[in-house]
Amino acid sequence: MVAKQHKFLLEESELPTRWYNIVPDLPSAPPPPLHPGTLQPVGPDDLAPLFPMELIAQEVTGDSYVDIPDEVLDVYRLWRPSPLYRAHRLEEALGTPARIYYKYEGVSPAGSHKPNTAVPQAYYNARSGVRTLTTETGAGQWGTALAFACAQYGLECKVWQVGASYDGKPYRRSVMETFGASVVRSPSELTETGRKMLAEDPEHPGSLGIAISEAVEVAAQDDATHYALGSVLNHVLLHQTVIGEEALLQLAKAGDVPDLIVGCTGGGSNFAGLAFPFLREKLAGRMDPLIRAVEPASCPSLTRGAYAYDYGDTAGFTPLLKMHTLGHDFVPDPIHAGGLRYHGMSPLISHVYELGLMEAMAVAQTECFDAAVTFARSEGIVPAPEPTHALAACIREALACKASGEEKVILTALCGHGHFDMAAYDAYLGGRLVDEAVSDERFADPLTRLPQVGG
Amino acid sequence: MVAKQHKFLLEESELPTRWYNIVPDLPSAPPPPLHPGTLQPVGPDDLAPLFPMELIAQEVTGDSYVDIPDEVLDVYRLWRPSPLYRAHRLEEALGTPARIYYKYEGVSPAGSHKPNTAVPQAYYNARSGVRTLTTETGAGQWGTALAFACAQYGLECKVWQVGASYDGKPYRRSVMETFGASVVRSPSELTETGRKMLAEDPEHPGSLGIAISEAVEVAAQDDATHYALGSVLNHVLLHQTVIGEEALLQLAKAGDVPDLIVGCTGGGSNFAGLAFPFLREKLAGRMDPLIRAVEPASCPSLTRGAYAYDYGDTAGFTPLLKMHTLGHDFVPDPIHAGGLRYHGMSPLISHVYELGLMEAMAVAQTECFDAAVTFARSEGIVPAPEPTHALAACIREALACKASGEEKVILTALCGHGHFDMAAYDAYLGGRLVDEAVSDERFADPLTRLPQVGG
């Protein structure tokens, strides 16, 4: 028997030392965010109450690369470079001639890709004199990542956890507290927004929109307190490009060139982190992979949303972002992939999609969990519900290759493990998981519900 | 800033291809297991109803090394070699001049060291024509490992999960089911043992002893069904030596030689897996580390037990094992480190301890969780409750080095992550964790409660 290599590892000395910014390599720049009052492009001063200047500069930089600070690299090295796996045993289970690779981010302290941006965000905030970071968390991945990151630089971390999640996922709270964060049920008595909601309903289950509003409200009141966001924004996508830069090196070590790159999209940061460095290579003519985003059927912002200016949050506090959106008041079905339940899509990914540089598809959740169980039994990793969307798309493609005999090279992002999401597997294995509602009425023209922006 | 290397990785080509058997290197052989009826040493035929001949041969082999089959190596490569970490950030948090390394087994499919033996046990059983493996699980680590292993070789896997654990840890059951096992609450209607217990109490909370009896009862009735055990026995310890063999290579790459090796002990397989290859080096005069076992104060078989022949299970179905024991009817306090709540200690480790080749200490659980939180915040990994005992001992030693100025090299086994044990962290962080009862009465002379064995 010839030994099959499963893992393609990098030494710590091969960890990327720069983040990659795709904007200057695109044929045109993405439309700017607009101030919701003036409808003019937002400037650094508009963002300064929430973010440190170094992150604001990264948000708008025209440079192709941004150096990663040594103090960030030192923390990245706790788990990075992350492994690239060849899914030999999955391929055998499917009987496909396709070669499937997955880049696994579940080795991080939070069990997902989120610390890739939480760590630099905490670092730049600490360096600018901030003492406390606030944020919201729904599924819990982002709150866990920021809790860990704040512990590295001596920052206090306050997390507003959506009430229903706080009540139903007490162990996610325990992880955040283990990393030193204080976790508050949202809506809370600590903010005007929260008090208003609690006055309406003392047992209000909360929502991500409300939790964002609470975290932003507290951050805006105090110069030593800032806010941190885990997806959507340019600087977040920038930080995640370490994923793709490593995968480029690892796939070269494996001696393969990708025909297809597949990632799941919610806000888009995991997808962009893997895909953008490969898109750079594609734009430069050095390879020609198809790049495919996979979104949940319940929340298909790319495949069924409008491309228009909309708010990033439900309450309408944020700048207006030009993006694919189902409308900021859209409430997705309560699927188990909580990290993908976002009404919009990162403006940068939306722009890349409009440029025709990538494609998108939507998958319903039972197909995702079918894929997850097949994957777990062959590869030994129980995936988070979010990347099961990408796995389902990989398996579709691998079975198409089985039918056609094509030996395609497929690369996907396994952005996290599902150890804190076993309730979803329990529902699936117990036959209680149902697919989302995907009627046309469900996604009726969001343009009628969008803010009016001229031009 | 000089980059500090955190991870010492091995290529898959550096994975050990042999397991190490310490027995021929010891000054004397351990006393044999005795048949409970005849009080004569058990022979292969006595064990054949439960185990395949290749495992029985490994149980009694006098060879120093046993080749690892290619089909086992191919599954090991899904996660092995596992990483060795230098705990730079923990050292900084403690302000110690000690150099702390930890070998991390939480990267495995089950999140612990257990698959190292579950995989070969499933392989040898499948090769001998067995179709089904039965086992018990308390905390859930072993059941998860065997469920995964059985999926690799097409075996059916039936797990009796202790009732209290089945009711209180539904997500552990979900993981086992995701890997394809069928999980039964113990006591069950499926066995005579179980029916008898349920007749006494229809809501019987079960115990590990009852679950073992049920799994053994079912395995003994059918030639195509065998039983698998996750610790204590020689062949289990043998399989775990891949941990120490890898760590030897990795520590050499780091340029260090250990002064102290620390591991937690329940049945002893994780401890032996790390320590025995280093003990080989010590016996050969190539290094001279202190080797230290750390057990819970609630279940101190090495430090407060008798060294005598006793049953391996509560019901008294197993051969008599010469081991350190608190008595087979001893019921430990319900501490959170469920994997360490075993009344006895592996006979091979007990023998090594009697030979004076290692030392032992006991630690209470609040000190363990203090250590766990310090570790999680600095190193980014939330440990399982079991290895927190070793971490507590490491931190004691590191602080002693801080006081003395010694630059000791400490190596420990971080045998698993705590993602399915967050209830324990929740209790600790909420101030509800209490230390165990450790009065002398608690561990009154077990000799009076042991089976009578002459000689």
Side-chain angles (χ1 to χ4, degrees):
Chain A
M1 196 166 89
V2 179
K4 290 174 179 169
Q5 188 169 352
H6 290 270
K7 299 178 294 298
F8 296 88
L9 305 174
L10 298 176
E11 293 291 331
E12 290 181 14
S13 58
E14 296 172 284
L15 180 58
T17 57
R18 304 183 301 177
W19 293 301
Y20 167 60
N21 174 28
I22 201 170
V23 174
D25 288 339
L26 295 176
S28 66
L34 302 183
H35 190 287
T38 64
L39 299 186
Q40 294 301 305
V42 295
D45 289 350
D46 296 318
L47 300 171
L50 294 184
F51 302 112
M53 275 301 158
E54 278 164 299
L55 289 178
I56 295 170
Q58 290 178 6
E59 188 64 23
V60 297
T61 184
D63 295 343
S64 291
Y65 293 94
V66 175
D67 286 339
I68 307 175
D70 284 344
E71 294 83 354
V72 170
L73 287 172
D74 192 48
V75 179
Y76 273 179
R77 275 190 289 265
L78 286 175
W79 75 95
R80 303 210 71 85
S82 68
L84 177 78
Y85 289 86
R86 168 82 185 272
H88 285 293
R89 298 181 79 84
L90 175 64
E91 293 167 20
E92 283 161 29
L94 298 174
T96 180
R99 299 198 289 284
I100 304 172
Y101 292 88
Y102 55 99
K103 176 73 169 164
Y104 185 43
E105 293 294 309
V107 294
S108 86
S112 77
H113 63 295
K114 295 290 186 189
N116 295 333
T117 184
V119 170
Q121 288 195 49
Y123 168 72
Y124 289 118
N125 273 290
R127 201 164 76 160
S128 74
V130 164
R131 305 297 301 273
T132 302
L133 283 182
T134 69
T135 199
E136 74 290 337
T137 203
Q141 289 280 13
W142 171 241
T144 305
L146 196 68
F148 163 75
C150 285
Q152 305 317 302
Y153 304 107
L155 288 175
E156 195 183 357
C157 181
K158 289 186 183 170
V159 182
W160 275 260
Q161 185 174 7
V162 174
S165 166
Y166 184 96
D167 299 337
K169 292 187 169 187
Y171 298 152
R172 261 295 178 192
R173 172 176 54 72
S174 302
V175 183
M176 292 185 263
E177 289 175 349
T178 297
F179 284 138
S182 61
V183 183
V184 180
R185 187 186 188 284
S186 171
S188 75
E189 292 285 354
L190 302 176
T191 68
E192 200 171 318
T193 309
R195 287 188 294 271
K196 193 176 142 198
M197 297 294 165
L198 289 172
E200 291 173 12
D201 176 2
E203 295 182 11
H204 199 298
S207 75
L208 207 53
I210 295 167
I212 293 175
S213 301
E214 292 201 277
V216 167
E217 183 183 323
V218 169
Q221 287 164 359
D222 176 1
D223 286 350
T225 300
H226 270 172
Y227 169 74
L229 190 69
S231 190
V232 178
L233 299 179
N234 292 353
H235 69 269
V236 177
L237 274 53
L238 177 83
H239 298 154
Q240 293 293 356
T241 58
V242 288
I243 301 172
E245 295 288 13
E246 289 178 5
L248 269 169
L249 296 176
Q250 289 165 312
L251 208 53
K253 286 196 181 193
D256 264 325
V257 177
D259 296 304
L260 176 66
I261 294 170
V262 184
C264 66
T265 46
S269 71
N270 149 67
F271 173 82
L274 179 68
F276 281 2
F278 285 89
L279 185 52
R280 174 189 65 212
E281 301 303 302
K282 182 184 172 102
L283 289 166
R286 289 188 286 266
M287 55 176 66
D288 192 25
L290 260 181
I291 297 175
R292 184 177 296 159
V294 189
E295 50 190 17
S298 59
C299 201
S301 54
L302 281 172
T303 54
R304 302 183 76 153
Y307 183 51
Y309 272 104
D310 194 7
Y311 295 109
D313 67 328
T314 308
F317 288 179
T318 71
L320 290 163
L321 305 171
K322 184 81 180 275
M323 62 183 177
H324 286 82
T325 178
L326 297 161
H328 62 278
D329 57 353
F330 177 78
V331 181
D333 282 1
I335 58 164
H336 285 288
L340 305 185
R341 293 179 68 238
Y342 183 65
H343 68 275
M345 176 52 57
S346 146
L348 188 48
I349 290 177
S350 296
H351 180 62
V352 167
Y353 185 61
E354 285 298 308
L355 289 170
L357 297 173
M358 55 175 277
E359 54 184 50
M361 63 186 282
V363 182
Q365 70 177 351
T366 54
E367 181 179 345
C368 295
F369 279 91
D370 288 345
V373 168
T374 299
F375 184 84
R377 290 182 188 175
S378 50
E379 294 291 314
I381 297 173
V382 178
E386 290 80 7
T388 64
H389 291 75
L391 291 175
C394 281
I395 288 178
R396 273 198 205 182
E397 192 77 24
L399 293 177
C401 287
K402 183 180 184 177
S404 70
E406 281 180 287
E407 296 186 9
K408 280 190 188 171
V409 175
I410 304 171
L411 169 64
T412 191
L414 185 60
C415 61
H417 63 64
H419 299 171
F420 298 104
D421 302 289
M422 292 313 298
Y425 283 86
D426 195 40
Y428 170 77
L429 295 163
R432 300 187 306 279
L433 200 82
V434 292
D435 274 343
E436 305 95 313
V438 291
S439 64
D440 286 344
E441 295 75 40
R442 186 84 183 89
F443 310 111
D445 187 7
L447 289 171
T448 58
R449 296 175 290 119
L450 293 180
Q452 296 301 308
V453 179
Chain B
M1 196 164 88
V2 179
K4 289 175 179 168
Q5 189 169 350
H6 291 269
K7 298 179 295 296
F8 296 89
L9 305 175
L10 298 176
E11 293 292 330
E12 290 180 15
S13 57
E14 296 171 285
L15 180 59
T17 57
R18 305 184 299 177
W19 293 301
Y20 168 61
N21 174 29
I22 200 170
V23 173
D25 287 338
L26 295 176
S28 66
L34 303 182
H35 190 286
T38 65
L39 298 186
Q40 296 302 305
V42 295
D45 290 348
D46 296 318
L47 299 172
L50 296 184
F51 302 111
M53 275 301 158
E54 279 166 299
L55 289 177
I56 293 170
Q58 290 178 7
E59 187 65 21
V60 298
T61 183
D63 296 342
S64 290
Y65 293 94
V66 175
D67 286 338
I68 307 176
D70 284 344
E71 294 83 353
V72 170
L73 288 172
D74 191 49
V75 179
Y76 273 179
R77 275 190 289 265
L78 286 175
W79 74 95
R80 302 211 73 84
S82 69
L84 178 79
Y85 290 84
R86 168 83 185 270
H88 285 294
R89 298 181 79 84
L90 175 64
E91 293 167 20
E92 284 162 29
L94 298 173
T96 180
R99 299 198 288 284
I100 304 172
Y101 293 87
Y102 56 99
K103 176 74 170 163
Y104 184 44
E105 293 294 309
V107 294
S108 86
S112 77
H113 64 294
K114 294 291 186 189
N116 295 332
T117 185
V119 170
Q121 288 194 49
Y123 168 72
Y124 289 119
N125 274 291
R127 202 164 76 160
S128 75
V130 164
R131 305 296 302 272
T132 303
L133 283 182
T134 68
T135 199
E136 74 291 337
T137 202
Q141 288 280 12
W142 170 242
T144 306
L146 196 67
F148 162 75
C150 285
Q152 304 317 303
Y153 304 107
L155 289 176
E156 195 182 356
C157 181
K158 289 185 182 170
V159 182
W160 275 260
Q161 185 173 8
V162 174
S165 166
Y166 183 95
D167 298 338
K169 290 187 171 188
Y171 298 153
R172 263 293 179 195
R173 173 176 54 71
S174 303
V175 182
M176 291 185 265
E177 290 176 348
T178 297
F179 284 138
S182 62
V183 183
V184 180
R185 188 186 188 282
S186 171
S188 75
E189 293 284 356
L190 303 176
T191 68
E192 200 171 321
T193 309
R195 286 188 295 270
K196 192 176 143 197
M197 297 294 164
L198 290 171
E200 290 174 13
D201 177 0
E203 296 183 10
H204 199 298
S207 75
L208 208 52
I210 296 167
I212 293 175
S213 301
E214 292 201 277
V216 168
E217 184 183 323
V218 169
Q221 287 164 359
D222 176 1
D223 286 351
T225 301
H226 270 172
Y227 169 74
L229 190 69
S231 192
V232 178
L233 299 180
N234 292 353
H235 69 269
V236 177
L237 273 54
L238 177 82
H239 299 154
Q240 293 293 355
T241 57
V242 289
I243 301 172
E245 296 288 13
E246 289 177 5
L248 269 169
L249 295 176
Q250 290 165 311
L251 208 54
K253 286 197 180 192
D256 263 325
V257 177
D259 297 305
L260 176 65
I261 293 170
V262 185
C264 66
T265 46
S269 71
N270 150 67
F271 173 81
L274 179 69
F276 281 2
F278 285 90
L279 185 51
R280 174 189 65 213
E281 301 302 303
K282 181 183 173 103
L283 289 165
R286 290 188 286 265
M287 56 176 68
D288 192 26
L290 260 181
I291 297 176
R292 184 176 296 159
V294 189
E295 51 190 16
S298 57
C299 200
S301 55
L302 281 172
T303 54
R304 302 184 76 153
Y307 183 52
Y309 273 103
D310 195 7
Y311 296 109
D313 67 328
T314 308
F317 287 179
T318 72
L320 290 163
L321 305 171
K322 184 83 180 273
M323 60 182 178
H324 286 82
T325 177
L326 297 161
H328 62 278
D329 58 352
F330 178 78
V331 180
D333 282 1
I335 58 165
H336 285 288
L340 305 184
R341 294 178 69 237
Y342 183 65
H343 68 276
M345 176 53 58
S346 146
L348 188 48
I349 291 176
S350 295
H351 181 61
V352 167
Y353 184 61
E354 285 298 308
L355 290 170
L357 297 173
M358 56 175 278
E359 55 183 52
M361 63 185 283
V363 181
Q365 68 177 351
T366 53
E367 181 178 344
C368 295
F369 279 90
D370 288 345
V373 168
T374 299
F375 184 85
R377 290 182 188 175
S378 50
E379 294 291 314
I381 297 173
V382 178
E386 290 80 7
T388 65
H389 291 74
L391 291 175
C394 281
I395 288 178
R396 274 198 205 180
E397 192 76 25
L399 294 176
C401 288
K402 183 181 184 177
S404 69
E406 281 180 286
E407 297 184 10
K408 279 190 188 170
V409 175
I410 304 170
L411 169 64
T412 191
L414 185 61
C415 61
H417 63 65
H419 299 170
F420 298 104
D421 303 288
M422 294 312 299
Y425 284 85
D426 194 41
Y428 170 77
L429 294 164
R432 301 186 306 278
L433 200 81
V434 292
D435 274 343
E436 306 94 313
V438 292
S439 65
D440 286 343
E441 295 75 40
R442 187 84 183 88
F443 311 110
D445 187 6
L447 288 172
T448 58
R449 296 176 288 121
L450 293 180
Q452 296 301 307
V453 179

